[in-house]
Amino acid sequence: MEKLKDVLLKVQRGELSVDEALHFLKDLPYEDLGFAKVDHHRALRRGVPEVIFCQGKTPEQVVKIAERMNARGTNIMGTRAGREVFEEVKKAIPDAVYYPDARIFAVIREPVPKNKGLIAVASAGTSDLPVAEEAAVTAELLGNRVERLYDVGVAGIHRLFMNLEVLERAQVIVVVAGMEGALASVVGGIVDKPVIAVPTSVGYGANFNGLSALLTMLNSCASGITVVNIDNGFGAGFAAHLINRLGGTENEAALP
Amino acid sequence: MEKLKDVLLKVQRGELSVDEALHFLKDLPYEDLGFAKVDHHRALRRGVPEVIFCQGKTPEQVVKIAERMNARGTNIMGTRAGREVFEEVKKAIPDAVYYPDARIFAVIREPVPKNKGLIAVASAGTSDLPVAEEAAVTAELLGNRVERLYDVGVAGIHRLFMNLEVLERAQVIVVVAGMEGALASVVGGIVDKPVIAVPTSVGYGANFNGLSALLTMLNSCASGITVVNIDNGFGAGFAAHLINRLGGTENEAALP
Amino acid sequence: MEKLKDVLLKVQRGELSVDEALHFLKDLPYEDLGFAKVDHHRALRRGVPEVIFCQGKTPEQVVKIAERMNARGTNIMGTRAGREVFEEVKKAIPDAVYYPDARIFAVIREPVPKNKGLIAVASAGTSDLPVAEEAAVTAELLGNRVERLYDVGVAGIHRLFMNLEVLERAQVIVVVAGMEGALASVVGGIVDKPVIAVPTSVGYGANFNGLSALLTMLNSCASGITVVNIDNGFGAGFAAHLINRLGGTENEAALP
Amino acid sequence: MEKLKDVLLKVQRGELSVDEALHFLKDLPYEDLGFAKVDHHRALRRGVPEVIFCQGKTPEQVVKIAERMNARGTNIMGTRAGREVFEEVKKAIPDAVYYPDARIFAVIREPVPKNKGLIAVASAGTSDLPVAEEAAVTAELLGNRVERLYDVGVAGIHRLFMNLEVLERAQVIVVVAGMEGALASVVGGIVDKPVIAVPTSVGYGANFNGLSALLTMLNSCASGITVVNIDNGFGAGFAAHLINRLGGTENEAALP
Amino acid sequence: MEKLKDVLLKVQRGELSVDEALHFLKDLPYEDLGFAKVDHHRALRRGVPEVIFCQGKTPEQVVKIAERMNARGTNIMGTRAGREVFEEVKKAIPDAVYYPDARIFAVIREPVPKNKGLIAVASAGTSDLPVAEEAAVTAELLGNRVERLYDVGVAGIHRLFMNLEVLERAQVIVVVAGMEGALASVVGGIVDKPVIAVPTSVGYGANFNGLSALLTMLNSCASGITVVNIDNGFGAGFAAHLINRLGGTENEAALP
Amino acid sequence: MEKLKDVLLKVQRGELSVDEALHFLKDLPYEDLGFAKVDHHRALRRGVPEVIFCQGKTPEQVVKIAERMNARGTNIMGTRAGREVFEEVKKAIPDAVYYPDARIFAVIREPVPKNKGLIAVASAGTSDLPVAEEAAVTAELLGNRVERLYDVGVAGIHRLFMNLEVLERAQVIVVVAGMEGALASVVGGIVDKPVIAVPTSVGYGANFNGLSALLTMLNSCASGITVVNIDNGFGAGFAAHLINRLGGTENEAALP
Amino acid sequence: MEKLKDVLLKVQRGELSVDEALHFLKDLPYEDLGFAKVDHHRALRRGVPEVIFCQGKTPEQVVKIAERMNARGTNIMGTRAGREVFEEVKKAIPDAVYYPDARIFAVIREPVPKNKGLIAVASAGTSDLPVAEEAAVTAELLGNRVERLYDVGVAGIHRLFMNLEVLERAQVIVVVAGMEGALASVVGGIVDKPVIAVPTSVGYGANFNGLSALLTMLNSCASGITVVNIDNGFGAGFAAHLINRLGGTENEAALP
Amino acid sequence: MEKLKDVLLKVQRGELSVDEALHFLKDLPYEDLGFAKVDHHRALRRGVPEVIFCQGKTPEQVVKIAERMNARGTNIMGTRAGREVFEEVKKAIPDAVYYPDARIFAVIREPVPKNKGLIAVASAGTSDLPVAEEAAVTAELLGNRVERLYDVGVAGIHRLFMNLEVLERAQVIVVVAGMEGALASVVGGIVDKPVIAVPTSVGYGANFNGLSALLTMLNSCASGITVVNIDNGFGAGFAAHLINRLGGTENEAALP
């Protein structure tokens, strides 16, 4: 809005003709006219990492993007990054760190505002771990405390019931499950909080690459469950962060 | 086998030439040669009702079939029978009885051997009731004791846990669930017995007429679960009966 | 937990033998042991209506359930309720009210805690209105302020841009869209808040009863979007309420 | 139940205050409270192997899990285990054995109760053999006698009819078939026993990785057939065992 | 070809200039140039009825088309014709006849050449009868002898084996089956002749309107089976006729 | 752009303070800022009708929308309008006209610029006629000359070849076909022009409501074919108009 | 039937007691009772090769099967055989021959009866060639004359029209096409003969591995077309042979 | 038409008998009779490259086809050509050029007529680039000016609004988008021109290889959008060229 005000002021002061003003406004980036990104929480955005989705990019492409971001001094996170991608990034940015289970690398440059609430990440089986870690590490890098509750799937449902107090303490719960994906319904049935369900492509036979778990979660009869795409741990972690932020942030920002 | 023996005896006694015998055997119903229905439990079959699948048949057609069966004096059951179908049957066979929730009518002519074991039928929500009742009444008409455990779906999962002793007493468990169908996995995760899962077409949106529950059940990570077709309460009740019969029958047959 | 404590005290005082205690605990409802419903916000739950999903139930069944709830004096809401259902309910509970666009009836008995934050409900086209209203009225009955932003679909996208300040003021945004469902992505691309996307079955041809919009929303490249089932306005309103509640409640409860 | 009894006894004897008892009970594993696994047949469970699903796990992960189980001295079986997985397991547990056709390895530590009844495993074509063997070996390791009836598919249906007496002697029949999966219907049409159908992903063209056989089996017009997931030989073998156990066990347990 | 020859002759005789000839040829219907319908068996076509596919047409439209055909004096058959359609046709063409089971009406004006071979039409269940009759009556109206073998589905497979001699006498076999559609594979496995399989939409649950039977038939492991569209009895009857005609025709044409 | 210029001029002349200007601009409809509808051919738009998609709207809703449009004096067209909808519209706007085959009503208020080029609409079978007419009438109301080439499907392909000169004269060709949809490929194979293919839901069996024709058209091996949604005659007519307009317009606008 | 006669004769002559006969009959292979393979054309079967479907078998398995067949002195054909499979077969059976385009190997041991009629195999594009060759070589090895009409797809449809006389001379036509599969409809529209359509998995995008072509062919509006599974050239060649055989065989058998 | 005229002239002059003429005409390629390719713009076709679809062809096959085309002296383009294919082509045709991003190689032999209008190619994300380039380079090689507008997807929608003037100047717009494919709707909503949408298979989870984007685009509520197959950049570029040509060509042809 400020550039627009500038232009108006110059027209008022006769420093700019109307035609010059029109021409200038026409070339003004859309964003600067105030119609773009509704971002009144800019303060909160400090430290929010810029994200590179590495899948389908060559290591060289990832490095090039990472270096450009690094030059801006912001935090960076790269998702779906294999170790060979990270090795290349590390050559260019030596203090990059790697979370192998989550397949995420990160470059930390500035502190992140910490959200007060807790995010719980529950997963059904060991094979769901990479997706669960993608969600958990994403949430952590965005400034959230995360507690993990793994291997609490329906086949070992007593482990879930033994750890109910983690669910009790959380503000938001991410549930990661493949095969039949029933865990989301069970959790949604016993808590009264936002639950984000992530179907995974883990399974075989008529699992259809996660379709089975996706449909289960969409059709859950427990209220308050919303769903992200199959294997989309990043999306779940990000949405959980946006929700958790509503509960307020600490006074001090900190390194993730 | 008896007709075959008869023929051989007549050949032996010279009452039948070889060519006559061959000709006769060629026309002998396949079944009588002993290669059909492997049925060494014929004793157990006494009282097993003949079944009419009424869906897609006119009331007239159903009545005609029922009358033909009635003439043989066997027990009869008609599934997917609306009340209007039953009314027509009742006119022809006045002592026919109707189970409105199960949409089944039955004609009882002879006692049925009683299986010793108990079949539990659990269902997730009230809308699954017709399918659950179809399974339960089918099992009862085939000579089984049945206990119903309704409305114990994942959204009200504590009701299931409050009634675990029913599952404990049962030999076979039929689980009926629509929407996300998670109940089968939960039950399969806490018992160590044959579980027959029946997906129902109850639900909306991306439920796809029961496909969602079907896939959930097929992909269940709990062992020992097998699945029948969507809404196929009859099939589940029948399979449960075949399994339950393995646990032995009472000495006395009784009216179902 | 209290019953458990009771038992322990009685054992301590010798009023109960260990065997009696064991027997008693075995029969104790699961819920009373404190492992059920994690519900430490019971205070906040005051006024939360009990919900009847009317689809697939006869008016008589709905009335019976509503009367039972009414006897408990809680608020009630019935979703997917046609006017003929409401008429029957009104005979039994004369002060029931009806929201025809949302196909919801409600009985208000006690004040509801008001969440501080605002929920925006945006919809793409006029045909999406019933689902959008289901979400909006659900959120209102649960104690939320709601602003509606209708007919801002991609074909009339300038209307969305003219109303960005509504999105700016909201804490949570529900986006309802059928056909190609692109509105969720556009909104998710310009705000930095939780967005709950509701695909609707509005459309024709290769829309496949909402599958098209569902897939679009699941695959959205904008971060922070989560999805509920096709046409599930209630689910979206409920999840939006759970999220909005994280931002705190007013001191005074009020009638919805 | 024993730990609970212990706690009660200590409270009775004044060795534990009520608060200490409550705190202790809160941390007590759910299972020990007796509400988990409904397992009144613990005697029968002796020798039941613990199962590792190897697909999607690295050989190292499998070895680690196997060693942990081995330390408990129970029987172990690993399914979907390639030979290279087995080789690694063998290094750690030298007396592990391998069933290459079934892709199963096993470690036998204790005798298993033998079920009295016979399980027949019938398969349609040679390519269905790995799934059929997975079912057969699973059932054997769980303590069942198994007879194999391979290559009796519909194209060579006379081979099935030549071996009817195997079906006659069996208590439960597992039918494994890919392509059009018609064998399950044929078997279901001639026997009066529990039939567990396993669709396989064998086939090509519009087979859709086993979907074709899955649908055939779900839609079978023969009563008493239940279905497991595509290629799920283990699940079929396990369910067949649970059913077969209903017919009683031998007095002596034996090595599988 | 004759018109083309005519033109050439006229050019040769100088009765037509080259330009006139070119102009004439340009306007000549494509068909008359001999490149259309490859129809060297015109003699055999005598009596082949013209076909009206009535589904999706109003009775008025059907009557109008039928009258136009009737004016040409050819035989007529109308498929998918409800009785109400037939009643209207009968008013306009009083000697039209109706086959209610096949939902076909016919107007016979001229004798049809009779094929020597026999077509067998086998069907699995009573509900498949309308499609089977559509195939059978179509074949009869095209000049074939047809034998029906109904209710020989896999559940009652002994009835098929009791009637093998019908299959033996046939040149071509049409197999009509819904639900799991296994009958086609069974027939294809025991005969060495062209088998045309017709999946029907009979069934319920995961039958998906005949998709299940369609996939079964396409994936049949028995050689020599080809498939037509779901419920397409007409198509099967027509294809069977084309095949049967290869075995030669009687000297005398006759009324169908 | 003009309102923006106005504001700038007023600021220049001191008639508006900068703050007033900013406030005004904020409220200015997005469109007027020149960033909306890229519409430099406004002249050409004269007479382009406003469109009401009637499906899923009540007659009352359609009438209300039509009256509001009518008040603006523009041309109006309503698609998917049954006769009962038209009857209501006619009561409110007596000179509305109806195209029953196309299920379109129109209100003509001003002349439309005529495109020079010809649009050909070819359809495969009689049942495709409603969709073909929707495309044709749409194009006509938008100011195009249209020639219809109906019933030229692949089964009667010689009729297409006999009418090639229509295709030769057209600038754009709309091809409407159901069942197997092969007509689009055939036309695309013989012309070198833009072809817009419209799959229709006409067919039965494995047609899946038009999916079959849709896939055929998307997979066409003939270059230059683009596809619209199933049954979307309006969309095809509209796209054909946009393309045809590129070939220039007549000097005189005329009533459609 | 002969063994049955034998038994009867022995009973007649007193060489066999009735019980011995019964026992013997029980063990008699089903086939020998004359109820198996309806094969009254045994003479015609001379030379018909035994078939090995090599896909999914190791070279060693194929060789073993081939050697066993070779020992019986019958002709052999192996389909879906890569060159590496053939090389192994050749080592064991040096006079085996290979058709690389068809991926078929054959061992010729005895002359085959020649069918009088001609089979035409038409294919749409070069990539369909392997499937077309599989059909053509299969038909040739079964004793048919085959003419190939390749690359006559809809995009180059004039090439089809230039070669109509091949279609004219054929008794049966196999049409092989991927992508949109329209060629089958075009051919079916211009001939009056049995057409067997083979969809191929050639294509990309929304081709779904041949589903697109499969649906096109099933929905063809041209009568007389039947369909085999995707890429099933062997099935088409085999069915074409069964049909072609109805037109009679030459007096002399010959090497294929 | 010329060969036909020739024949007629020879008949007129007596140089050819009528029978010789008929025989000759019968063998005359269909095309030469003037019924094939409706190609009245032959002048415009000068320079239009012959196209090789390289996917699924070996480098040797591509080279062979390219050499044959090269011998005719026409322009050539090869799509879906990996670099290793190009290297082989370059050996045979040294002046072949390669567009690596578009995976296209080209051989330019003659100038191409230039279309006056501009084609804009917009794409949503970096991963859509190969498909976008295939469209852009195709259009350029066919004689069009192309402007690229990349990375303007919905997540960065302001970039699109900042570049509206490119859309303003274009005659035809190709929109390439994967994941949820919403870009096509946004563009279609703000321009009034032909838009060709290309779904790409970019994405993951429930993207189903581009099906998600395909459905989005087919269901777009913006008018004037037509769709090509998933990833079919070539098809979009070709169709855009056919449309753009309607706006007229420059007087001078030029090298692409």
Side-chain angles (χ1 to χ4, degrees), chain F residues 149-167:
Chain F
L149 205 51
Y150 288 174
D151 258 319
V152 295
V154 174
I157 201 172
H158 61 284
R159 297 204 54 234
L160 177 71
F161 286 93
M162 285 163 63
N163 287 282
L164 287 184
E165 54 84 33
V166 178
L167 302 185

Side-chain angles (χ1 to χ4, degrees), chain C residues 55-179:
Chain C
Q55 191 171 300
K57 301 205 173 71
T58 64
E60 296 68 44
Q61 291 175 314
V62 172
V63 167
K64 213 188 278 179
I65 299 174
E67 284 182 315
R68 211 166 48 214
M69 289 175 171
N70 195 31
R72 286 199 286 270
T74 66
N75 293 342
I76 306 170
M77 66 182 281
T79 64
R80 304 285 164 101
R83 184 170 286 280
E84 74 294 353
V85 167
F86 169 65
E87 298 299 351
E88 289 305 309
V89 170
K90 205 178 170 53
K91 283 181 201 156
I93 312 178
D95 60 339
V97 293
Y98 191 55
Y99 303 81
D101 288 339
R103 291 165 303 168
I104 286 175
F105 73 81
V107 179
I108 310 297
R109 288 281 167 269
E110 48 176 348
V112 180
K114 287 288 173 201
N115 292 328
K116 286 180 179 161
L118 174 71
I119 294 174
V121 177
S123 76
T126 6
S127 339
D128 302 318
L129 193 131
V131 178
E133 273 301 296
E134 190 182 270
V137 171
T138 294
E140 286 171 340
L141 290 173
L142 288 161
N144 299 277
R145 281 184 308 120
V146 172
E147 286 199 35
R148 288 148 171 91
L149 205 52
Y150 289 173
D151 257 321
V152 295
V154 174
I157 200 171
H158 60 283
R159 299 204 54 234
L160 177 71
F161 285 94
M162 285 165 61
N163 288 283
L164 287 184
E165 53 84 36
V166 178
L167 302 185
E168 269 189 76
R169 280 189 285 112
Q171 288 244 75
V172 194
I173 301 166
V174 173
V175 177
V176 181
M179 301 189 81

Side-chain angles (χ1 to χ4, degrees), chain C residues 154-155 157 161 179-180 182 185-186 189-190 203-208 211-212 215-222, chain H residues 154-155 157 161 179-180 182 185-186 189-190 203-208 211-212 215-222:
Chain C
V154 174
I157 200 171
F161 285 94
M179 301 189 81
E180 93 277 56
S185 287
V186 173
I190 56 178
Y204 56 110
N207 165 284
F208 299 124
L211 182 64
S212 159
L215 291 183
T216 300
M217 288 166 168
L218 284 172
N219 285 287
S220 175
C221 42
Chain H
V154 174
I157 201 172
F161 285 94
M179 302 189 78
E180 94 277 54
S185 287
V186 174
I190 55 178
Y204 56 109
N207 165 285
F208 300 124
L211 182 65
S212 159
L215 292 182
T216 300
M217 289 165 166
L218 283 171
N219 284 287
S220 175
C221 43

Side-chain angles (χ1 to χ4, degrees), chain A residues 153-155 157 161 178-182 185-187 189-190 203-208 211-212 215-222, chain B residues 153-155 157 161 178-182 185-187 189-190 203-208 211-212 215-222:
Chain A
V154 174
I157 201 173
F161 285 94
M179 302 190 78
E180 92 277 56
S185 286
V186 173
V187 170
I190 55 178
Y204 57 109
N207 164 286
F208 300 124
L211 181 64
S212 159
L215 292 181
T216 299
M217 288 166 168
L218 284 170
N219 285 288
S220 176
C221 44
Chain B
V154 175
I157 201 172
F161 285 93
M179 302 190 80
E180 93 277 55
S185 286
V186 173
V187 169
I190 55 177
Y204 56 110
N207 165 284
F208 300 124
L211 182 63
S212 158
L215 291 182
T216 299
M217 288 166 169
L218 284 171
N219 285 285
S220 175
C221 43

